[in-house]
Amino acid sequence: MKRYLYRQIDNAPLVVFRIFFGFLLACETIGAIITGWVRDNFIEPSFTFSHIGMDWLQPLPGMGMYIWFVVMGILGLMVMAGYKYRFSIIAFTVLWAGVYFMQKTSYNNHYYLLLLIALIMCFLPANRFASVDVKLNPAIKRYNMPAWCSLIMIAQVSIVYLFASVAKFYPGWLNGTFVYGLLDQSVTINGFRNVIVTRPFALFIAYAGIAFDLLVVPLMLFKRTRTLAFIASIIFHIFNSITLQIGIFPFFALSFAVFLYPPETIRSLFLQRKPRVIIAPSATFEGQTLMRYFFIPYLIVQLALPLRHYFIKGDVLWTEEGHRLSWRMMLRTRNGHTQFNIIDKKTGNPVYYSPDREMTAKQQNVMVTRPDMIWQTAQRIKKYFATQGKDVAVYADSHISINHGPYRTLINPETDLATAKWDYFFHNEWILLYDTNNNPVK
C-alpha cells in the first residue's frame, strides 16, 4: 500500500485539473458579479447570516465586496496560468473561505466543495508543468508526481458522491415527491414540461440519481465501464445544468474525470508535447509527512462530518442539525412562517420589532424555516433592544412544512431564544421533535 501511494506517475491529470479549476474559479467569481449574486447577498443586505460563531465576519462596505470578487477572479486566472501558484491558490482559498462562512442565505454545497478542493490544491505540486512558474524558473519543472496526489482527489469526490447517494434514501425522495416538486419549479419551457414534469419521470430521475451517485466513481475506475460512465456523467450534469441552473457545479464535477482516467490518456489528450512518463516505484516516499499529518486526518474528518447527524437526536430533514457539510444536496423544500413575540422583561409588555427593518425579502424567506437562523435573529433582536436599555425575552411562533407536507411547530413557543444557547454538537432541545405519526416527542 505504501509503495502504491508513493509510486511516481505522470502529473498530467493534476496539471490539466489546475487549468480547468482556475478557469472555473474565475467563471464562478466574475459570474457572481454579472448575475447579481454578489449584489443580492452582500451589497443589498445590511448584514449577513454568518455561520454561528463568526458573526464578526460581515461584508465590506460600499463596493468592497465587488472588489473582493474581482480579486478572486484574478487569482483564479493566476491559478489557471500557474503564475505565482502557491500564493494565488492560498490567497483564493482564504478569500473564498471568507465568502463561504460570511453568509448562509444562499448556501450551496458546491461552494463548500470549492473550498475543500482549493484547500487540497494548496498542498499539491500543480504548477510543475505547463505553467508560467516553470517558464520563470525551469528548475521546478517535473513530469511526474506521487500517486497520492491523484488518489486524494479520487477519495474526496468519492466521499461527495457516496454521501449524496445515502442521503437520498428517505421517503420523500424514494416516492418521487421532492423530485417532482423540484422539476415543477425548475422547468419552465412548456415543450419540456409535458415530458419532464410528470410523476413517472420524477421517479426515474429519483432512482437514476441514487444509482448515478453510488456507482459513477467505481465505474469510472474500471476500463470496461469508464467511457460509458463518463458519457452518463456528461448527460447527468448537463441535464442538471439546464434544469436546475446551478452555476459551475456540473462542469466542476465533470473536471474530476481527469483523475479517473489513466494519466497517460490525459497526457495524450491534453498535453501531447509533454514527455511520456513510465509509472515506477519510488525510492523515496515523497509527501509522507503531509499525508500522515494532514491528508489522513483530513479524510477522517470528511468521513465523520456527514455521519454526525446520526448521533444527534431527531430527523436532520426537520431539525437541520448536521445538514451542512454533509453532502445533503437538493433533498427537500422547507416552507413556513415565523413570528417573533417580544416581551419587555421589566414591564411585561409586548414590544414591536419587524425583520423588514434590516433583512431583505430573500433573507427573511430563508430565515423563517431554519432553526439556526431563527436563533441568530433572536440574538439580534436582543442586542437591538439592549441598545435602547431594554432587556427582552424573544419567543418564536414557527410553523414549518417539509416537501409540502403538514405544517408543524418547529420552535418551542415557550422557550426564550434570547437566553437559549446554541449547541454546536448535539440537539437543541427547543427544536421540537415528532414521531412518524406527527405526534410531538418529548
Side-chain angles (χ1 to χ4, degrees), residues 293-353:
Y293 295 108
F294 178 76
F295 280 119
I296 291 177
Y298 168 86
L299 290 175
I300 291 172
V301 171
Q302 286 300 305
L303 287 168
L305 285 174
L307 294 172
R308 73 191 190 280
H309 73 86
Y310 292 107
F311 300 92
I312 301 174
K313 187 165 62 173
D315 184 354
V316 62
L317 280 169
W318 173 252
T319 68
E320 294 276 303
E321 295 168 313
H323 173 78
R324 296 188 183 94
L325 316 183
S326 298
W327 312 117
R328 302 181 58 80
M329 298 179 279
M330 308 292 285
L331 287 177
R332 80 283 184 263
T333 56
R334 295 177 71 90
N335 298 295
H337 57 84
T338 295
Q339 178 180 328
F340 293 96
N341 300 314
I342 308 159
I343 304 297
D344 187 324
K345 289 183 178 180
K346 184 177 181 179
T347 65
N349 295 326
V351 290
Y352 178 74
Y353 174 89

Side-chain angles (χ1 to χ4, degrees), residues 74-76 78-79 82-93:
I74 294 171
L75 290 170
M78 290 172 64
V79 170
Y83 176 60
K84 295 188 180 299
Y85 172 74
R86 199 67 62 187
F87 163 79
S88 59
I89 189 61
I90 291 174
F92 180 89
T93 303

Side-chain angles (χ1 to χ4, degrees), residues 41 52 66 76 82-83 105 125 128 135 149 163 229 237 246 261 280 333-334 348 370 377 380 410 432 440:
N41 290 284
I52 292 177
Y66 285 126
Y83 176 60
T105 303
R128 297 298 183 91
K135 289 187 177 296
C149 293
F163 286 107
H237 288 298
I246 47 179
Y261 275 85
T333 56
R334 295 177 71 90
R370 268 66 174 184
T377 301
R380 291 191 66 84
L410 177 65
L432 299 180

Side-chain angles (χ1 to χ4, degrees), residues 147-428:
W148 62 259
C149 293
S150 278
L151 296 174
I152 286 294
M153 288 296 191
I154 295 172
Q156 178 63 80
V157 75
S158 297
I159 289 171
V160 173
Y161 279 116
L162 172 63
F163 286 107
S165 177
V166 171
K168 292 178 173 66
F169 284 90
Y170 83 98
W173 184 277
L174 296 176
N175 63 22
T177 300
F178 169 74
V179 177
Y180 179 82
L182 182 65
L183 293 173
D184 186 38
Q185 180 182 359
S186 304
V187 181
T188 57
I189 302 174
N190 289 332
F192 286 106
R193 286 184 62 84
N194 295 334
V195 176
I196 294 177
V197 187
T198 63
R199 294 288 179 181
F201 191 79
L203 280 171
F204 166 75
I205 291 296
Y207 284 89
I210 291 174
F212 178 83
D213 289 344
L214 193 61
L215 299 174
V216 63
V217 173
L219 290 178
M220 286 195 67
L221 288 172
F222 291 97
K223 182 177 180 180
R224 289 186 177 182
T225 54
R226 182 176 294 130
T227 300
L228 182 62
F230 184 57
I231 292 172
S233 186
I234 292 173
I235 295 171
F236 176 83
H237 288 298
I238 295 300
F239 176 82
N240 285 345
S241 178
I242 295 172
T243 58
L244 303 180
Q245 299 178 3
I246 47 179
I248 69 164
F249 182 71
F251 310 101
F252 185 33
L254 286 171
S255 69
F256 289 102
V258 297
F259 296 109
L260 299 168
Y261 275 85
E264 174 59 25
T265 301
I266 301 303
R267 184 201 65 79
S268 63
L269 285 174
F270 297 102
L271 301 170
Q272 295 180 2
R273 295 184 179 181
K274 184 178 184 294
R276 184 177 181 181
V277 173
I278 298 176
I279 297 176
S282 176
T284 60
F285 300 121
E286 182 183 349
Q288 182 174 234
T289 301
L290 186 60
M291 277 291 294
R292 181 178 297 172
Y293 295 108
F294 178 76
F295 280 119
I296 291 177
Y298 168 86
L299 290 175
I300 291 172
V301 171
Q302 286 300 305
L303 287 168
L305 285 174
L307 294 172
R308 73 191 190 280
H309 73 86
Y310 292 107
F311 300 92
I312 301 174
K313 187 165 62 173
D315 184 354
V316 62
L317 280 169
W318 173 252
T319 68
E320 294 276 303
E321 295 168 313
H323 173 78
R324 296 188 183 94
L325 316 183
S326 298
W327 312 117
R328 302 181 58 80
M329 298 179 279
M330 308 292 285
L331 287 177
R332 80 283 184 263
T333 56
R334 295 177 71 90
N335 298 295
H337 57 84
T338 295
Q339 178 180 328
F340 293 96
N341 300 314
I342 308 159
I343 304 297
D344 187 324
K345 289 183 178 180
K346 184 177 181 179
T347 65
N349 295 326
V351 290
Y352 178 74
Y353 174 89
S354 175
D356 293 339
R357 61 178 296 277
E358 60 176 357
M359 291 187 204
T360 64
K362 182 178 182 179
Q363 285 179 308
Q364 289 187 62
N365 289 338
V366 177
M367 178 273 293
V368 297
T369 66
R370 268 66 174 184
D372 58 330
M373 296 171 74
I374 292 172
W375 179 84
Q376 286 177 291
T377 301
Q379 303 308 302
R380 291 191 66 84
I381 293 173
K382 176 184 178 180
K383 291 178 181 178
Y384 170 75
F385 283 104
T387 62
Q388 302 178 11
K390 295 180 179 180
D391 185 17
V392 300
V394 183
Y395 303 94
D397 181 19
S398 183
H399 300 275
I400 307 301
S401 166
I402 306 296
N403 292 341
H404 307 288
Y407 280 82
R408 300 178 295 185
T409 303
L410 177 65
I411 307 295
N412 187 337
E414 298 179 358
T415 298
D416 177 9
L417 294 180
T419 58
K421 302 298 182 181
W422 179 261
D423 194 321
Y424 291 88
F425 303 105
F426 300 101
H427 176 61
N428 291 278

